[in-house]
Amino acid sequence: MKMLINVAETVVADALRGMAAAHPELTVDVENRVIVRADAPVAGKVALVSGGGSGHEPLHGGFVGPGMLSAACPGEVFTSPVPDQMVRAAAAVDSGAGVLFIVKNYTGDVLNFDMAAELAEDEGVQVAKVLVDDDVAVTDSLYTAGRRGTGATLFVEKLAGAAADAGMPLERVEAVARRVNAGARSFGVALTACTTPAKGSPTFDLPAGELELGVGIHGEPGRERRPMMTSREIADFAVNAVLEDLNPRDPVLLLVNGMGGTPLLELYGFNAEVQRLLVERGVPVARTLVGNYVTSLDMAGASVTLCQVDEELLRLWDAPVRTPALRWGV
């Protein structure tokens, strides 16, 4: 496979150096693998720290900045960051108002963030944790006990980030994050496998004429494989899977997310089918985001995430945000 890299061993460090050069509003510690907003700590403000394996960009480093995360900890490709990174990030951004860890539900991430929370608290940092587990495709997977954390991570980071910027205390910011996760569901579809730099070839076997329904963001198996379907058929399956588990009583935020290898031309066409279905099902869409936000390297495919929002959450969504990957109102 052709890849725009030097060697697999330095791909994350090289990317971090490039990110630092492109975004002087961030402080990027390449050696210790921590990305921090340059104005941190912000006096009196709750800080948000997240992280996970690299390969899902712009998640999480692309969401560091005013209105979202205070810091992010990138691990190696598809590998959890280590507790030392998280403790270093928490210390860098804590203003005394406390730190919220936002953790996707993968076993390595959960264990390492739990350990980091204990270590940070030993150093006098008040820490709360929120687990994101929005994927309805499978109950348990190769890397999780319970549902996987996927597209709803963006909604949790944005809405909790806005709550923190509004001056809410740690308990309220945590409550917002938990409410967002509880009201969000996702379902993903893979048209091709992804390729890690270390392996240099597809991470799993997906024949050219088939797709994986319910794939995870590391290429974990989903519900089933089927012969290739049309955009309309895939939207039907994904939206129905989400709505079987989520019965929205309020309007929703909609994320039509690319997995890294699908062009916007296809994603916008897919969004048209998703929107058609939601209209037919009587689900009002308050806001829509289309693009590659929670990716799986070069995987072709898409995911659908719905998140119920009331007036407060919608105000938090519309609040200004200024990060490398998400920016409005500023």
Side-chain angles (χ1 to χ4, degrees):
M1 301 292 291
K2 295 178 181 178
M3 307 183 85
L4 193 63
I5 64 173
N6 294 315
V7 293
E9 291 77 13
T10 66
V11 66
V12 175
D14 291 345
L16 290 175
R17 281 195 291 272
M19 188 175 201
H23 297 288
E25 72 275 18
L26 302 177
T27 299
V28 181
D29 184 338
V30 177
E31 181 180 356
N32 293 298
R33 306 289 174 89
V34 177
I35 303 165
V36 179
R37 50 186 285 183
D39 61 351
V42 179
K45 186 181 104 59
V46 171
L48 273 63
V49 174
S50 192
S54 295
H56 305 303
E57 289 75 19
L59 190 81
H60 296 272
F63 299 144
V64 175
M68 285 191 81
L69 296 176
S70 307
C73 307
E76 291 296 327
V77 173
F78 290 178
T79 302
S80 172
V82 298
D84 283 352
Q85 290 173 259
M86 303 159 187
V87 173
R88 189 181 297 270
V93 298
D94 179 40
S95 68
V99 175
L100 178 66
F101 282 169
I102 298 173
V103 189
K104 300 189 306 300
N105 189 31
Y106 295 95
T107 301
D109 290 3
V110 172
L111 292 174
N112 287 344
F113 269 102
D114 282 349
M115 186 180 301
E118 294 178 6
L119 293 170
E121 287 172 343
D122 288 344
E123 295 181 4
V125 179
Q126 183 184 5
V127 177
K129 302 188 299 293
V130 170
L131 192 68
V132 182
D133 56 354
D134 55 302
D135 186 3
V136 302
V138 293
T139 302
D140 297 295
S141 75
L142 296 176
Y143 308 114
T144 63
R147 291 176 166 171
R148 302 174 292 214
T150 56
T153 312
L154 182 152
F155 290 145
V156 172
E157 291 178 356
K158 171 62 180 83
L159 294 165
D165 272 18
M168 294 185 190
L170 181 60
E171 295 78 10
R172 285 197 64 195
V173 175
E174 178 187 2
V176 166
R178 292 188 183 281
R179 182 151 57 102
V180 172
N181 180 64
R185 301 289 188 277
S186 297
F187 190 90
V189 179
L191 310 184
T192 68
C194 55
T195 305
T196 62
K199 191 170 188 287
S201 60
T203 54
F204 61 97
D205 178 39
L206 185 58
E210 297 183 3
L211 52 75
E212 182 85 26
L213 293 165
V215 72
I217 58 174
H218 309 92
E220 309 97 303
R223 290 187 179 181
E224 60 178 295
R225 288 188 178 180
R226 287 191 183 181
M228 187 59 195
M229 300 156 65
T230 65
S231 177
R232 173 168 292 201
E233 291 168 337
I234 294 170
D236 284 342
F237 197 102
V239 171
N240 287 333
V242 169
L243 292 181
E244 282 172 6
D245 201 273
L246 181 72
N247 183 23
R249 295 182 299 275
D250 296 311
V252 297
L253 303 175
L254 166 63
L255 171 62
V256 173
N257 173 69
M259 304 297 274
T262 300
L264 277 170
L265 180 70
E266 296 176 30
L267 290 177
Y268 276 118
F270 185 58
N271 177 56
E273 299 298 341
V274 171
Q275 299 271 0
R276 171 188 58 81
L277 279 164
L278 293 173
V279 169
E280 291 176 359
R281 297 289 294 270
V283 179
V285 177
R287 302 286 186 273
T288 302
L289 193 61
V290 179
N292 290 285
Y293 293 100
V294 183
T295 64
S296 184
L297 293 168
D298 60 343
M299 181 186 288
S303 61
V304 175
T305 303
L306 300 181
C307 177
Q308 294 187 91
V309 286
D310 55 17
E311 290 185 2
E312 179 192 22
L313 292 183
L314 192 56
R315 282 196 303 271
L316 293 174
W317 178 257
D318 289 339
V321 58
R322 191 169 73 252
T323 71
L326 213 63
R327 184 178 296 248
W328 59 69
V330 291

